[in-house]
Amino acid sequence: MPPRRADLFACLAVGSAALALYVATLAPSYVWEDSANYMAVLRDPENRISKRMIDQYPLYFWTCRGFAAVPIGPYPWRVNLVSAVFGAAAVALVF
């Protein structure tokens, strides 16, 4: 049975609300642990450690490179925006 239009609208509304909340609370700069490591790898993809990390998470790194190319806000904010978009999409799909 295909989803009803009201269900799709509710899914879109919940996903948009989640994205607005995630963007409002987004880290504007580097944070500790994995996030800083990922941003360092994105800045310098030629070192040995980064090749291993890129092989483990290729979709995340490709998407981060695309978002990092958009000239809106500082570089760390754009990379953190990828996680916010993926999180909001997960909320919308689970709803």
Side-chain angles (χ1 to χ4, degrees):
M1 182 166 97
R4 296 178 315 169
R5 187 175 299 244
D7 292 338
L8 293 175
F9 179 73
C11 178
L12 182 64
V14 168
S16 298
L19 182 62
L21 179 66
Y22 288 151
V23 169
T25 60
L26 200 61
S29 182
Y30 296 100
V31 293
W32 296 100
E33 300 294 330
D34 287 341
S35 178
N37 290 337
Y38 293 147
M39 287 183 216
V41 167
L42 285 166
R43 286 275 190 183
D44 182 24
E46 297 302 320
N47 62 27
R48 191 175 46 186
I49 295 172
S50 63
K51 293 207 184 289
R52 183 176 45 136
M53 288 180 75
I54 291 173
D55 288 342
Q56 291 174 352
Y57 308 105
L59 178 62
Y60 183 77
F61 281 104
W62 292 339
T63 309
C64 284
R65 284 194 186 261
F67 273 70
V70 177
I72 298 173
Y75 179 79
W77 187 85
R78 290 178 290 194
V79 174
N80 288 329
L81 184 63
V82 173
S83 296
V85 169
F86 281 154
V91 168
L93 290 174
V94 168
F95 181 76

